[in-house]
Amino acid sequence: MSRLAPSLSERNETPLERSDRHLAELMQEVRVAQTGVQVLFGFLLTVPFTNRFGTLASGEKGLYFATLAAAGAAAMLLIAPTSHHRILFRCGDKEHIVRMSNRYAIAGLACVAVAMVGALIFVATVVIGSPVAAAVGAIAGLAALWCWYLQPLRRRRLLHAQEAAAGPRAVRSVGANGR
């Protein structure tokens, strides 16, 4: 657990209550991502059955399959926390479930980003052409990297640096919400 999180006494919760809250928050976040990836995966599954699929170049088919595989991996990784929770239900291992579910969610979101970028490149290649598709893919990839990883990691590093420099109380006073 991060030293940045408020102590249990500040939230008036036990370690088990905190794990319950963390798991509930994580599962809600996963539901949002899971729905989107399932729609994308379902769409991608239909592509080979269209008339135009047979006319695609082998590179385009390779891009399609890599995108489909990334969407499938994202779906598996985002569904994994539910499976862990069900299988380990009532085993008293909630903290482990939360930790593993967090890892699966982060990896699943990376796969969602790859699948989304791949789908954009694929569609742009088929509709517009390769040079524009490369630009679309680069912009989408950079946007996902910044919004989903670099920006929150930058904030995390700043919070840890502030904590190290001024102590845990000073960090919360500059706007951290304790998560």
Side-chain angles (χ1 to χ4, degrees):
M1 178 168 48
S2 171
R3 294 180 315 238
L4 295 174
S7 69
L8 293 173
S9 63
E10 286 186 54
R11 283 196 180 262
N12 195 27
E13 63 187 358
T14 66
L16 183 57
E17 289 170 332
R18 176 171 276 182
S19 289
D20 288 342
R21 180 175 53 81
H22 286 172
L23 186 60
E25 289 173 356
L26 185 107
M27 293 304 246
Q28 184 59 36
E29 294 162 358
V30 165
R31 279 185 199 101
V32 171
Q34 201 174 43
T35 301
V37 78
Q38 287 172 336
V39 169
L40 177 60
F41 189 58
F43 162 75
L44 288 169
L45 286 173
T46 66
V47 171
F49 303 104
T50 64
N51 291 334
R52 192 166 177 194
F53 189 78
T55 66
L56 296 177
S58 62
E60 292 167 333
K61 289 180 181 178
L63 173 60
Y64 160 77
F65 190 76
T67 301
L68 177 68
M76 282 188 222
L77 290 165
L78 292 172
I79 292 169
T82 302
S83 177
H84 278 242
H85 185 251
R86 284 295 91 207
I87 291 170
L88 295 172
F89 183 67
R90 298 186 70 143
C91 289
D93 204 17
K94 185 78 59 102
E95 192 173 319
H96 171 78
I97 293 170
V98 170
R99 194 171 37 259
M100 291 305 300
S101 295
N102 184 60
R103 291 175 184 163
Y104 278 120
I106 291 169
L109 289 172
C111 290
V112 170
V114 170
M116 288 174 61
V117 170
L120 283 169
I121 294 170
F122 177 71
V123 170
T125 299
V126 171
V127 173
I128 301 169
S130 293
V132 174
V136 166
I139 291 167
L142 289 172
L145 184 64
W146 172 254
C147 293
W148 293 1
Y149 292 96
L150 296 179
Q151 191 175 32
L153 286 171
R154 182 177 171 212
R155 176 67 177 164
R156 183 183 180 100
R157 189 173 350 128
L158 173 68
L159 292 171
H160 281 285
Q162 287 175 342
E163 178 191 38
R169 292 284 151 217
V171 172
R172 281 192 205 92
S173 68
V174 296
N177 67 4
R179 285 191 183 171

Short mmCIF file of all heavy atoms in Angstrom, two decimals, residues 17-73:
data_model
loop_
_atom_site.label_atom_id
_atom_site.label_comp_id
_atom_site.label_asym_id
_atom_site.label_seq_id
_atom_site.Cartn_x
_atom_site.Cartn_y
_atom_site.Cartn_z
N GLU A 17 -12.23 -3.60 5.44
CA GLU A 17 -13.14 -2.63 4.82
C GLU A 17 -12.43 -1.85 3.71
O GLU A 17 -13.02 -1.57 2.67
CB GLU A 17 -13.68 -1.66 5.87
CG GLU A 17 -14.67 -2.29 6.82
CD GLU A 17 -15.02 -1.40 8.00
OE1 GLU A 17 -14.19 -0.56 8.40
OE2 GLU A 17 -16.15 -1.55 8.52
N ARG A 18 -11.17 -1.52 3.94
CA ARG A 18 -10.41 -0.81 2.90
C ARG A 18 -10.24 -1.70 1.67
O ARG A 18 -10.43 -1.25 0.54
CB ARG A 18 -9.04 -0.38 3.43
CG ARG A 18 -8.20 0.27 2.32
CD ARG A 18 -6.95 0.89 2.84
NE ARG A 18 -7.30 2.22 3.31
CZ ARG A 18 -6.45 3.08 3.82
NH1 ARG A 18 -5.18 2.76 3.92
NH2 ARG A 18 -6.85 4.26 4.22
N SER A 19 -9.92 -2.97 1.87
CA SER A 19 -9.79 -3.90 0.74
C SER A 19 -11.12 -4.04 0.01
O SER A 19 -11.14 -4.07 -1.22
CB SER A 19 -9.30 -5.28 1.22
OG SER A 19 -7.95 -5.21 1.61
N ASP A 20 -12.21 -4.13 0.76
CA ASP A 20 -13.54 -4.20 0.14
C ASP A 20 -13.80 -2.98 -0.73
O ASP A 20 -14.28 -3.08 -1.85
CB ASP A 20 -14.64 -4.32 1.20
CG ASP A 20 -14.69 -5.67 1.88
OD1 ASP A 20 -14.13 -6.64 1.32
OD2 ASP A 20 -15.29 -5.75 2.97
N ARG A 21 -13.49 -1.79 -0.19
CA ARG A 21 -13.71 -0.55 -0.94
C ARG A 21 -12.82 -0.50 -2.18
O ARG A 21 -13.28 -0.17 -3.27
CB ARG A 21 -13.42 0.66 -0.04
CG ARG A 21 -13.61 2.00 -0.74
CD ARG A 21 -13.43 3.17 0.21
NE ARG A 21 -12.19 3.17 0.95
CZ ARG A 21 -11.02 3.59 0.45
NH1 ARG A 21 -10.94 4.04 -0.78
NH2 ARG A 21 -9.94 3.57 1.21
N HIS A 22 -11.56 -0.88 -2.02
CA HIS A 22 -10.64 -0.87 -3.17
C HIS A 22 -11.12 -1.82 -4.26
O HIS A 22 -11.07 -1.49 -5.44
CB HIS A 22 -9.23 -1.25 -2.73
CG HIS A 22 -8.53 -0.16 -1.99
ND1 HIS A 22 -7.32 -0.36 -1.37
CD2 HIS A 22 -8.85 1.13 -1.77
CE1 HIS A 22 -6.93 0.77 -0.81
NE2 HIS A 22 -7.85 1.68 -1.03
N LEU A 23 -11.58 -3.00 -3.86
CA LEU A 23 -12.06 -3.96 -4.85
C LEU A 23 -13.32 -3.44 -5.54
O LEU A 23 -13.46 -3.56 -6.76
CB LEU A 23 -12.32 -5.33 -4.21
CG LEU A 23 -12.69 -6.43 -5.20
CD1 LEU A 23 -11.57 -6.66 -6.21
CD2 LEU A 23 -13.00 -7.72 -4.46
N ALA A 24 -14.23 -2.86 -4.79
CA ALA A 24 -15.46 -2.32 -5.39
C ALA A 24 -15.13 -1.20 -6.38
O ALA A 24 -15.69 -1.15 -7.48
CB ALA A 24 -16.40 -1.81 -4.30
N GLU A 25 -14.20 -0.31 -6.02
CA GLU A 25 -13.80 0.76 -6.93
C GLU A 25 -13.17 0.19 -8.19
O GLU A 25 -13.48 0.62 -9.30
CB GLU A 25 -12.81 1.71 -6.23
CG GLU A 25 -13.43 2.56 -5.15
CD GLU A 25 -12.39 3.36 -4.35
OE1 GLU A 25 -11.18 3.20 -4.59
OE2 GLU A 25 -12.82 4.15 -3.49
N LEU A 26 -12.28 -0.77 -8.00
CA LEU A 26 -11.59 -1.37 -9.14
C LEU A 26 -12.57 -2.08 -10.07
O LEU A 26 -12.50 -1.94 -11.30
CB LEU A 26 -10.52 -2.34 -8.65
CG LEU A 26 -9.68 -2.90 -9.78
CD1 LEU A 26 -8.29 -2.27 -9.76
CD2 LEU A 26 -9.57 -4.39 -9.64
N MET A 27 -13.50 -2.83 -9.50
CA MET A 27 -14.45 -3.56 -10.34
C MET A 27 -15.34 -2.60 -11.13
O MET A 27 -15.67 -2.87 -12.29
CB MET A 27 -15.31 -4.50 -9.48
CG MET A 27 -14.50 -5.63 -8.88
SD MET A 27 -13.63 -6.60 -10.11
CE MET A 27 -14.47 -8.12 -9.94
N GLN A 28 -15.70 -1.48 -10.53
CA GLN A 28 -16.50 -0.49 -11.27
C GLN A 28 -15.68 0.09 -12.42
O GLN A 28 -16.20 0.27 -13.53
CB GLN A 28 -16.97 0.62 -10.32
CG GLN A 28 -17.89 1.61 -10.98
CD GLN A 28 -19.14 0.97 -11.56
OE1 GLN A 28 -19.70 0.03 -11.01
NE2 GLN A 28 -19.59 1.46 -12.68
N GLU A 29 -14.42 0.38 -12.18
CA GLU A 29 -13.56 0.90 -13.24
C GLU A 29 -13.40 -0.12 -14.36
O GLU A 29 -13.44 0.22 -15.55
CB GLU A 29 -12.19 1.28 -12.66
CG GLU A 29 -12.25 2.45 -11.70
CD GLU A 29 -11.03 2.56 -10.80
OE1 GLU A 29 -10.13 1.70 -10.87
OE2 GLU A 29 -10.99 3.52 -10.00
N VAL A 30 -13.23 -1.38 -13.99
CA VAL A 30 -13.06 -2.45 -14.98
C VAL A 30 -14.33 -2.60 -15.81
O VAL A 30 -14.25 -2.83 -17.02
CB VAL A 30 -12.66 -3.77 -14.29
CG1 VAL A 30 -12.84 -4.96 -15.20
CG2 VAL A 30 -11.21 -3.69 -13.80
N ARG A 31 -15.49 -2.45 -15.21
CA ARG A 31 -16.76 -2.55 -15.95
C ARG A 31 -16.80 -1.55 -17.10
O ARG A 31 -17.27 -1.87 -18.19
CB ARG A 31 -17.95 -2.32 -15.03
CG ARG A 31 -18.35 -3.51 -14.24
CD ARG A 31 -19.63 -3.24 -13.44
NE ARG A 31 -19.72 -4.20 -12.38
CZ ARG A 31 -19.40 -3.97 -11.11
NH1 ARG A 31 -19.01 -2.78 -10.73
NH2 ARG A 31 -19.50 -4.92 -10.21
N VAL A 32 -16.32 -0.36 -16.87
CA VAL A 32 -16.33 0.68 -17.91
C VAL A 32 -15.44 0.25 -19.08
O VAL A 32 -15.85 0.26 -20.24
CB VAL A 32 -15.86 2.03 -17.33
CG1 VAL A 32 -15.64 3.05 -18.43
CG2 VAL A 32 -16.85 2.54 -16.31
N ALA A 33 -14.21 -0.16 -18.78
CA ALA A 33 -13.27 -0.57 -19.83
C ALA A 33 -13.73 -1.86 -20.51
O ALA A 33 -13.60 -2.01 -21.73
CB ALA A 33 -11.88 -0.75 -19.24
N GLN A 34 -14.26 -2.77 -19.73
CA GLN A 34 -14.67 -4.07 -20.24
C GLN A 34 -15.76 -3.95 -21.30
O GLN A 34 -15.71 -4.61 -22.33
CB GLN A 34 -15.17 -4.91 -19.06
CG GLN A 34 -15.18 -6.37 -19.26
CD GLN A 34 -15.56 -7.06 -17.96
OE1 GLN A 34 -16.48 -6.63 -17.27
NE2 GLN A 34 -14.85 -8.11 -17.63
N THR A 35 -16.70 -3.07 -21.07
CA THR A 35 -17.79 -2.89 -22.05
C THR A 35 -17.24 -2.41 -23.38
O THR A 35 -17.58 -2.93 -24.43
CB THR A 35 -18.83 -1.90 -21.51
OG1 THR A 35 -19.34 -2.40 -20.27
CG2 THR A 35 -19.96 -1.70 -22.49
N GLY A 36 -16.37 -1.42 -23.34
CA GLY A 36 -15.78 -0.90 -24.57
C GLY A 36 -14.97 -1.93 -25.31
O GLY A 36 -15.08 -2.06 -26.54
N VAL A 37 -14.17 -2.70 -24.60
CA VAL A 37 -13.33 -3.69 -25.28
C VAL A 37 -14.18 -4.83 -25.83
O VAL A 37 -13.87 -5.38 -26.89
CB VAL A 37 -12.19 -4.20 -24.38
CG1 VAL A 37 -12.65 -5.23 -23.37
CG2 VAL A 37 -11.06 -4.78 -25.22
N GLN A 38 -15.25 -5.18 -25.17
CA GLN A 38 -16.12 -6.23 -25.68
C GLN A 38 -16.82 -5.79 -26.97
O GLN A 38 -16.96 -6.59 -27.89
CB GLN A 38 -17.13 -6.66 -24.61
CG GLN A 38 -16.48 -7.46 -23.51
CD GLN A 38 -17.41 -7.73 -22.34
OE1 GLN A 38 -18.38 -7.00 -22.11
NE2 GLN A 38 -17.11 -8.75 -21.57
N VAL A 39 -17.21 -4.53 -27.04
CA VAL A 39 -17.82 -4.02 -28.27
C VAL A 39 -16.78 -4.03 -29.40
O VAL A 39 -17.06 -4.48 -30.52
CB VAL A 39 -18.39 -2.60 -28.06
CG1 VAL A 39 -18.76 -1.94 -29.37
CG2 VAL A 39 -19.59 -2.65 -27.12
N LEU A 40 -15.58 -3.55 -29.10
CA LEU A 40 -14.51 -3.55 -30.11
C LEU A 40 -14.18 -4.98 -30.55
O LEU A 40 -14.06 -5.26 -31.75
CB LEU A 40 -13.25 -2.86 -29.56
CG LEU A 40 -12.03 -2.85 -30.48
CD1 LEU A 40 -12.33 -2.14 -31.80
CD2 LEU A 40 -10.85 -2.19 -29.77
N PHE A 41 -14.05 -5.89 -29.61
CA PHE A 41 -13.74 -7.28 -29.93
C PHE A 41 -14.84 -7.90 -30.80
O PHE A 41 -14.56 -8.56 -31.79
CB PHE A 41 -13.56 -8.08 -28.64
CG PHE A 41 -13.03 -9.47 -28.83
CD1 PHE A 41 -11.82 -9.71 -29.46
CD2 PHE A 41 -13.75 -10.56 -28.35
CE1 PHE A 41 -11.33 -11.00 -29.61
CE2 PHE A 41 -13.27 -11.84 -28.50
CZ PHE A 41 -12.05 -12.07 -29.14
N GLY A 42 -16.09 -7.65 -30.43
CA GLY A 42 -17.21 -8.16 -31.23
C GLY A 42 -17.20 -7.62 -32.65
O GLY A 42 -17.41 -8.36 -33.61
N PHE A 43 -16.94 -6.32 -32.78
CA PHE A 43 -16.84 -5.72 -34.11
C PHE A 43 -15.72 -6.39 -34.90
O PHE A 43 -15.90 -6.76 -36.07
CB PHE A 43 -16.59 -4.22 -34.00
CG PHE A 43 -16.06 -3.61 -35.25
CD1 PHE A 43 -16.89 -3.39 -36.35
CD2 PHE A 43 -14.71 -3.27 -35.36
CE1 PHE A 43 -16.38 -2.84 -37.53
CE2 PHE A 43 -14.21 -2.72 -36.53
CZ PHE A 43 -15.04 -2.51 -37.61
N LEU A 44 -14.57 -6.55 -34.29
CA LEU A 44 -13.43 -7.13 -34.99
C LEU A 44 -13.70 -8.57 -35.42
O LEU A 44 -13.21 -9.02 -36.46
CB LEU A 44 -12.17 -7.06 -34.12
CG LEU A 44 -11.58 -5.67 -33.95
CD1 LEU A 44 -10.50 -5.67 -32.86
CD2 LEU A 44 -11.01 -5.15 -35.27
N LEU A 45 -14.47 -9.30 -34.62
CA LEU A 45 -14.79 -10.68 -34.98
C LEU A 45 -15.61 -10.77 -36.26
O LEU A 45 -15.58 -11.79 -36.95
CB LEU A 45 -15.53 -11.37 -33.83
CG LEU A 45 -14.68 -11.74 -32.62
CD1 LEU A 45 -15.57 -12.25 -31.50
CD2 LEU A 45 -13.62 -12.77 -32.98
N THR A 46 -16.34 -9.73 -36.59
CA THR A 46 -17.19 -9.77 -37.78
C THR A 46 -16.44 -9.40 -39.06
O THR A 46 -16.89 -9.73 -40.16
CB THR A 46 -18.40 -8.82 -37.66
OG1 THR A 46 -17.93 -7.47 -37.63
CG2 THR A 46 -19.20 -9.13 -36.40
N VAL A 47 -15.31 -8.73 -38.94
CA VAL A 47 -14.59 -8.20 -40.11
C VAL A 47 -14.22 -9.27 -41.15
O VAL A 47 -14.43 -9.07 -42.34
CB VAL A 47 -13.34 -7.40 -39.66
CG1 VAL A 47 -12.46 -7.04 -40.84
CG2 VAL A 47 -13.79 -6.14 -38.93
N PRO A 48 -13.70 -10.44 -40.77
CA PRO A 48 -13.32 -11.42 -41.79
C PRO A 48 -14.49 -11.96 -42.61
O PRO A 48 -14.28 -12.54 -43.68
CB PRO A 48 -12.67 -12.56 -41.00
CG PRO A 48 -12.35 -12.01 -39.68
CD PRO A 48 -13.30 -10.89 -39.44
N PHE A 49 -15.70 -11.75 -42.13
CA PHE A 49 -16.86 -12.28 -42.82
C PHE A 49 -17.49 -11.27 -43.79
O PHE A 49 -18.55 -11.52 -44.34
CB PHE A 49 -17.89 -12.78 -41.80
CG PHE A 49 -17.30 -13.83 -40.89
CD1 PHE A 49 -16.95 -13.51 -39.59
CD2 PHE A 49 -17.06 -15.11 -41.36
CE1 PHE A 49 -16.37 -14.47 -38.75
CE2 PHE A 49 -16.48 -16.07 -40.53
CZ PHE A 49 -16.14 -15.75 -39.23
N THR A 50 -16.80 -10.15 -43.98
CA THR A 50 -17.27 -9.16 -44.95
C THR A 50 -16.70 -9.48 -46.32
O THR A 50 -15.67 -10.16 -46.45
CB THR A 50 -16.86 -7.73 -44.54
OG1 THR A 50 -15.43 -7.65 -44.56
CG2 THR A 50 -17.40 -7.37 -43.17
N ASN A 51 -17.36 -9.01 -47.36
CA ASN A 51 -16.90 -9.27 -48.74
C ASN A 51 -15.53 -8.66 -49.01
O ASN A 51 -14.73 -9.23 -49.75
CB ASN A 51 -17.91 -8.71 -49.74
CG ASN A 51 -19.21 -9.50 -49.73
OD1 ASN A 51 -19.22 -10.68 -49.37
ND2 ASN A 51 -20.29 -8.85 -50.09
N ARG A 52 -15.26 -7.53 -48.45
CA ARG A 52 -14.01 -6.81 -48.75
C ARG A 52 -12.79 -7.42 -48.07
O ARG A 52 -11.65 -7.16 -48.48
CB ARG A 52 -14.17 -5.36 -48.32
CG ARG A 52 -13.09 -4.47 -48.85
CD ARG A 52 -13.44 -3.02 -48.72
NE ARG A 52 -12.34 -2.21 -49.17
CZ ARG A 52 -12.21 -0.94 -48.95
NH1 ARG A 52 -13.14 -0.30 -48.27
NH2 ARG A 52 -11.18 -0.27 -49.39
N PHE A 53 -12.95 -8.24 -47.05
CA PHE A 53 -11.81 -8.77 -46.30
C PHE A 53 -10.86 -9.56 -47.20
O PHE A 53 -9.65 -9.46 -47.05
CB PHE A 53 -12.27 -9.64 -45.13
CG PHE A 53 -11.15 -10.03 -44.21
CD1 PHE A 53 -10.67 -9.12 -43.28
CD2 PHE A 53 -10.58 -11.29 -44.26
CE1 PHE A 53 -9.63 -9.46 -42.42
CE2 PHE A 53 -9.54 -11.63 -43.41
CZ PHE A 53 -9.07 -10.71 -42.47
N GLY A 54 -11.39 -10.31 -48.13
CA GLY A 54 -10.56 -11.10 -49.04
C GLY A 54 -9.67 -10.27 -49.94
O GLY A 54 -8.64 -10.76 -50.43
N THR A 55 -10.01 -9.02 -50.14
CA THR A 55 -9.21 -8.14 -51.02
C THR A 55 -8.08 -7.43 -50.27
O THR A 55 -7.27 -6.75 -50.89
CB THR A 55 -10.10 -7.07 -51.68
OG1 THR A 55 -10.60 -6.18 -50.68
CG2 THR A 55 -11.25 -7.71 -52.44
N LEU A 56 -8.00 -7.60 -48.96
CA LEU A 56 -6.97 -6.92 -48.18
C LEU A 56 -5.60 -7.53 -48.46
O LEU A 56 -5.47 -8.74 -48.70
CB LEU A 56 -7.26 -7.01 -46.69
CG LEU A 56 -8.54 -6.33 -46.19
CD1 LEU A 56 -8.71 -6.58 -44.70
CD2 LEU A 56 -8.51 -4.84 -46.48
N ALA A 57 -4.57 -6.71 -48.39
CA ALA A 57 -3.19 -7.18 -48.52
C ALA A 57 -2.82 -7.99 -47.29
O ALA A 57 -3.45 -7.86 -46.23
CB ALA A 57 -2.25 -5.99 -48.69
N SER A 58 -1.78 -8.78 -47.39
CA SER A 58 -1.39 -9.63 -46.25
C SER A 58 -0.98 -8.78 -45.05
O SER A 58 -1.23 -9.16 -43.90
CB SER A 58 -0.26 -10.58 -46.65
OG SER A 58 0.89 -9.85 -47.03
N GLY A 59 -0.36 -7.61 -45.27
CA GLY A 59 -0.01 -6.73 -44.16
C GLY A 59 -1.23 -6.20 -43.44
O GLY A 59 -1.22 -6.07 -42.21
N GLU A 60 -2.27 -5.89 -44.20
CA GLU A 60 -3.51 -5.42 -43.60
C GLU A 60 -4.18 -6.53 -42.79
O GLU A 60 -4.72 -6.29 -41.71
CB GLU A 60 -4.46 -4.89 -44.68
CG GLU A 60 -3.95 -3.62 -45.33
CD GLU A 60 -4.69 -3.25 -46.60
OE1 GLU A 60 -5.24 -4.16 -47.28
OE2 GLU A 60 -4.70 -2.06 -46.94
N LYS A 61 -4.12 -7.75 -43.32
CA LYS A 61 -4.68 -8.89 -42.58
C LYS A 61 -3.86 -9.15 -41.31
O LYS A 61 -4.42 -9.49 -40.26
CB LYS A 61 -4.73 -10.13 -43.46
CG LYS A 61 -5.79 -10.05 -44.54
CD LYS A 61 -5.80 -11.29 -45.40
CE LYS A 61 -6.86 -11.18 -46.49
NZ LYS A 61 -6.87 -12.35 -47.37
N GLY A 62 -2.56 -8.97 -41.39
CA GLY A 62 -1.70 -9.13 -40.21
C GLY A 62 -2.03 -8.09 -39.15
O GLY A 62 -2.11 -8.40 -37.95
N LEU A 63 -2.21 -6.84 -39.59
CA LEU A 63 -2.60 -5.77 -38.67
C LEU A 63 -3.95 -6.09 -38.03
O LEU A 63 -4.13 -5.92 -36.82
CB LEU A 63 -2.66 -4.43 -39.40
CG LEU A 63 -3.22 -3.25 -38.61
CD1 LEU A 63 -2.36 -2.97 -37.37
CD2 LEU A 63 -3.30 -2.01 -39.51
N TYR A 64 -4.87 -6.56 -38.84
CA TYR A 64 -6.20 -6.92 -38.33
C TYR A 64 -6.06 -7.99 -37.24
O TYR A 64 -6.62 -7.87 -36.15
CB TYR A 64 -7.11 -7.44 -39.45
CG TYR A 64 -8.24 -8.25 -38.89
CD1 TYR A 64 -9.34 -7.63 -38.30
CD2 TYR A 64 -8.19 -9.65 -38.88
CE1 TYR A 64 -10.35 -8.37 -37.73
CE2 TYR A 64 -9.21 -10.39 -38.32
CZ TYR A 64 -10.28 -9.76 -37.74
OH TYR A 64 -11.27 -10.49 -37.16
N PHE A 65 -5.29 -9.04 -37.54
CA PHE A 65 -5.19 -10.14 -36.58
C PHE A 65 -4.48 -9.69 -35.30
O PHE A 65 -4.88 -10.08 -34.19
CB PHE A 65 -4.49 -11.36 -37.17
CG PHE A 65 -4.59 -12.55 -36.27
CD1 PHE A 65 -5.77 -13.26 -36.18
CD2 PHE A 65 -3.52 -12.93 -35.47
CE1 PHE A 65 -5.89 -14.34 -35.33
CE2 PHE A 65 -3.62 -14.01 -34.60
CZ PHE A 65 -4.81 -14.71 -34.54
N ALA A 66 -3.45 -8.87 -35.41
CA ALA A 66 -2.76 -8.36 -34.22
C ALA A 66 -3.72 -7.51 -33.37
O ALA A 66 -3.71 -7.60 -32.13
CB ALA A 66 -1.54 -7.54 -34.62
N THR A 67 -4.55 -6.73 -34.03
CA THR A 67 -5.54 -5.91 -33.33
C THR A 67 -6.57 -6.80 -32.64
O THR A 67 -6.95 -6.56 -31.49
CB THR A 67 -6.20 -4.93 -34.31
OG1 THR A 67 -5.19 -4.11 -34.90
CG2 THR A 67 -7.24 -4.07 -33.63
N LEU A 68 -7.04 -7.81 -33.34
CA LEU A 68 -7.99 -8.76 -32.76
C LEU A 68 -7.37 -9.45 -31.54
O LEU A 68 -8.03 -9.59 -30.50
CB LEU A 68 -8.41 -9.81 -33.80
CG LEU A 68 -9.35 -10.91 -33.31
CD1 LEU A 68 -10.72 -10.33 -32.99
CD2 LEU A 68 -9.45 -12.01 -34.36
N ALA A 69 -6.11 -9.87 -31.66
CA ALA A 69 -5.43 -10.54 -30.54
C ALA A 69 -5.29 -9.59 -29.35
O ALA A 69 -5.49 -10.01 -28.20
CB ALA A 69 -4.06 -11.04 -30.99
N ALA A 70 -4.98 -8.32 -29.60
CA ALA A 70 -4.86 -7.35 -28.50
C ALA A 70 -6.22 -7.14 -27.82
O ALA A 70 -6.30 -7.06 -26.59
CB ALA A 70 -4.31 -6.02 -29.02
N ALA A 71 -7.29 -7.07 -28.61
CA ALA A 71 -8.62 -6.92 -28.04
C ALA A 71 -9.01 -8.16 -27.23
O ALA A 71 -9.60 -8.05 -26.14
CB ALA A 71 -9.65 -6.65 -29.13
N GLY A 72 -8.67 -9.33 -27.73
CA GLY A 72 -8.94 -10.56 -26.99
C GLY A 72 -8.16 -10.62 -25.69
O GLY A 72 -8.70 -11.00 -24.64
N ALA A 73 -6.89 -10.22 -25.75
CA ALA A 73 -6.07 -10.19 -24.53
C ALA A 73 -6.64 -9.19 -23.53
O ALA A 73 -6.70 -9.47 -22.32
CB ALA A 73 -4.62 -9.84 -24.88
#
